[in-house]
Amino acid sequence: MAEQSTTGTAGSGYDPQKIEAKWQKRWAEERVFETEADPSKPKYYVLEMLPYPSGTLHMGHMRNYAIGDVVARVKRMQGFNVLHPMGWDAFGLPAENAAIQNNTHPRTWTNNNIAEFQTALRRFGFSYDWRREISTCEPEYYRWNQWFFLRMLERGLAYRKKSRVNWCPKCQTVLANEQVINGGYCWRHEDTLVESKEIEQWFLKTTAYAEQLLDDLKQLEGGWPERVILMQKNWIGKSQGAKVKIAVADVPGVESIEIFTTRIDTIYGATALILPPAHPLVSKLLEGSPARAESEPKLAKMRQASVKTEDLATMEKVGVFTGRYAVNPFSGEKMPIWVGNFVLMEYGTGAIMAVPAHDQRDFEFCKKYGLPIRVVIQPLEGEPLVAGKMTEAFEEHMQGKLVHSGPFDGLSPAEAIAKMTAFAEEKSFGRGETIFRLRDWGISRQRYWGTPIPVVYCEKDGMVPVPDRDLPVLLPPNPKLTGEGESPLATDPEFVNVRCPKCGGPARRETDTMDTFVDSSWYFYRYCDPHNDKAPFDSAKVAYWFPIDQYIGGITHAILHLLYSRFWCKVMRDMTLINHNEPAARLFTQGMVQKGGVAMSKSRGNVVGAIDMAEKYGADTGRLYTLFAAPPEKDLEWSEESIEGSWRFLNRVYRLIERHAVSVRGAKDWNEDPKGLSEKERQLVRITYQTLARVTQDFDKRWHFNSAIALLMELVNEIYAHEPLEQGVRSEIQREVLSMVTLMLAPMTPHLAEELWEMLGHSDGLWNAHWPMLVLEQKELMREDEVEIPVQVNGRLRGKVKAAAGAGEEEVVKLALADPAVAHHVDGKRVVKKVFVPDRLLNLVVA
RNA sequence: GCGGGAGUGGCGGAACUGGCAGACGCGCAAGACUUAGGAUCUUGUGGCCGAAAGGCCGUGGGGGUUCAAAUCCCUCCUUCCGCACCA
C-alpha cells in the first residue's frame, strides 16, 4: 500500500510526493497565502497557538494545525481576507538544559529545532503567510518585551519585592504559582517538590486587573469553551467579605490580629481565632505564654508536616493552643487563640475566626479540641439546631435567621452581613472587602535563555530603567551555563557592569530574565506588523485584524497563557495602543493525539513524526486522517491501521477523476439548467448539492470535520455506483459533479485538490476558486421529489412507504395501510391516533 | 469534597431542533480479478431465536415524561479533566 505511493504502481497514478511538492512550489510562486490589511475586505484572523520548538514535530502538533488550516482555507474560499501566521515560542528552559547537556548554545539548539519544525510545517502545506513568521528569541522581538516592561514600570504595573517564591531545585529557578502543579510539584519535573525561598523578584500587577479579568469573561461566553471560562473564574477566585481586627488581650507587642471572613453574620458564633503555623505573630504570642512549653514542640512538628496541597485537603486537622486570648469585637467575649494546620497563610489575611456551628472545617477542629460550639443561625424550617446534638455544621449559605447575636437577632444572613459590616466600619475595627485568589505575576527567572529585564541598579540612584533608546538590552552571546546557582547573566562582567543612565556612575544590570509567558502574551499582535522597528506594532493594522476571530490550542493553556494574554490586552488598551477588551473572540481547544492511551510526547517515546508520516502516505492523507478519525475537540488515539482508510479514499477519488479527465477536459461550465436532465444526471446532481449543503454546515457552524469527510466519502461512493458516467451523463455535468467534490476536499487535502482541479481542465488554480454557494437553481435541484417515509405502529418500525415529497397525511396513511407488514399489525385493531410528520414519519397508534 | 466533560457494535465514531440507532471508516468473513496480492472491485457484518419470512432485545444501570427518547427529567454507577481546607 503505502510503499506503492512511492513506486506509483498502486493501480492509480496518485503520487502524493510529486503532487505535494508541485503545488507547494506553485503556491509560493503565486504568493497565494500572503496577505495585507485591507479595510475594503472582510477579515478573518485564525491562529493556532505558537509552538515551542523542541524535539520532533509530531502528529499531535499537526492535528492542531490541520484544524486551523481547514478554517483558514474555507474562509479564504469564502472571500475573507485571512490572516493565518506561524511563529516560534523560542525562549525557554529546555533550550538551556539541552545546551548544558550537549555543550552547545541555546540559540543553536533552538534554531535547529525551528528549522526542523519549519520544514515539517511546510511539508504539510499549511497556508501560512511565512513572511510574518516571528521568533521570540530574536532581539527584534524581545526588545518589545522590554519596551512593554518599561511602560508597565511607568504605570506602576511592574514592581520589585522580596518575596517567598516557589523554587524548583532541579530547574534552579523560580516558578510562577501557575507553574506549580499537582499541589506542590514543578510543572516540568512532576516528581520534584517545589521548595520555598525568599528573593527579590519582579512582578507584574495582574491583580490590578482582577475585577476586569473576571467581568470580561462574560464577553467571552459563547465564544470560549465554558470550562475554560470556569477555570479562569476559579483561578481569579473572587470572594466578598470583610476584614475584621480582633483585639488581643495582654500580649506585649501584639495589639490585634486581622481576620478575613465571608460570613461576618456568624461572628457571634466565633469560639476561637486560628492562625496558620507560619503566621509571623505566632512566636510573639507564644513568648511568655503559659502554654509555651507544651505547645512549642507540637508546633515544630506541625511546621515539618507535608506541604503538599493534595495531602492538605484530606489531612487531619491538628492544632495547638497558644495560651492567649482575643476579644470578639461584637460580643466582647474572650476567645482562645489557636494555631491550626488547615488555615492558609496565603489567603485573605492569613488568619480566621472559627465558627464551628456554621463552618464544617471549624466544626471538625473545635469538636476535636473540645472548643465550644454556638449556634447563631437557625434554619427557617424544621427543628431548631442544638449545639450539642449537631453532627455537622449548618452551612446553608444565606438561609435562616440570626440568634444569640445581640442587636442583630432576627435578621437574615444577607441583612446581617450588610449591617454588621457597616457597624464594624463605623467603629473602625473592620471593613467590607473583596479579595481575590489571583496573585501578581512573578516574572523573574534566574536563567539565561529569556528576555533580559531592562533595568540597572546604581549605587547612587538605585533602580534605574534602561532608556528606550538603549533597547534592546541584548543577551550576552557567550554565557557560562551550568544550570546551577544564580542567573548565568550574573557571571558575565561585560554584561553586568554598566554606567548608570542617570548619573553615568558605575551600576549593575539586572541579571534575571523574564518568564517566557511574557513572550506569548502578546505575540499575536506582532503578526499584524512583524517587522516594525519603531513600535511593537502599528495600531491601525492591529485595529483591522483584531480581535482574533478563531484561536486554536490545547486545553493545557486554559489558565496560564490565556489569562496573561488577557491581562496584556487590557494593559495595552489602557495605554491606548489598541481599542478592544479581549484578544480572542472565539477559542477552540482541540483534543490531544494519543498513542497507547497517553498524549504523544518525546519523553514518552510514543511520537509519530510528521515527516515520517508525510513520507509514508503524503501530507494530504495525514491531514485527512487527523480530521477524520475523531471530532476535533476530542482526544484521538493514533491508529496505524485506520489511516489506511484515508489513504484508500484519496486514491479512490484520484482514480475516479483520472478516469474522467479525458471526457470532461473540453467541457464547458454547466449552466445549472435543471431542464432536460436525465434521471441519472438528476440523481448525481441532487446528491452532490445535498452534500454541499451539509458539508458547508459542518465546516461553518459545527466544526464536524469528521462527518464532513464521511459525507464526501458517501458522495464518492455514490458517484462510483453510477459508473460508467460516460453513459448517460453529459460531460459538463460530470465535470460539475467532480469539480464540486474537488472543491469540498480542498480545505482538507489542498494539494490533491489542486491536482484534480487541473486534471478537470480548470485553467485557473484552485486557490482562486470560491467555495460554492448554493444558488436557487441548485437548491431546486437538491430537492427530492420522492421520499421514503418510515411507518411505525405503536412506536415500532413496521414498514416504509415511498411517497411524493410533501404528500399529505391522508395519502401516506393510505399507502401505509397497503403495506402488508403494517397492515398485519393494524388488522383487527382500532387506530386511536395518527402522528404524522410530513416527509419524515408516520406513527399509527392502535388499541 | 466542589466544578466540568464523557459513557453508542470487535475498534474510531455518525445521528442538525425528541422522529428509521449504528452513517462513514477500520477490522473481520466470503467471493471476483490475478502468477501472486498486504492492490482493486463486489457482498455481508449490533446481539439473540429462526432454514427463511420474520420476531424479540439493544445507545453505562434503574425509574419517569411522550404516540415516539442515544437525545428531555430523576436517580445511581463508571471514567477523564480542572480546582482542592479559599474561611
Side-chain angles (χ1 to χ4, degrees), chain A residues 59 126 137 228 334 462 486 562 669 680 823 839:
Chain A
M59 292 311 291
F126 295 123
C137 67
V228 173
K334 275 173 87 179
E486 59 179 345
L562 292 171
D669 287 347
K680 191 168 168 182
D839 292 346

Side-chain angles (χ1 to χ4, degrees), chain A residues 1-9 616 647:
Chain A
M1 37 94 255
E3 284 74 21
Q4 279 155 351
S5 67
T6 46
T7 57
T9 57
K616 196 165 175 195
W647 164 250

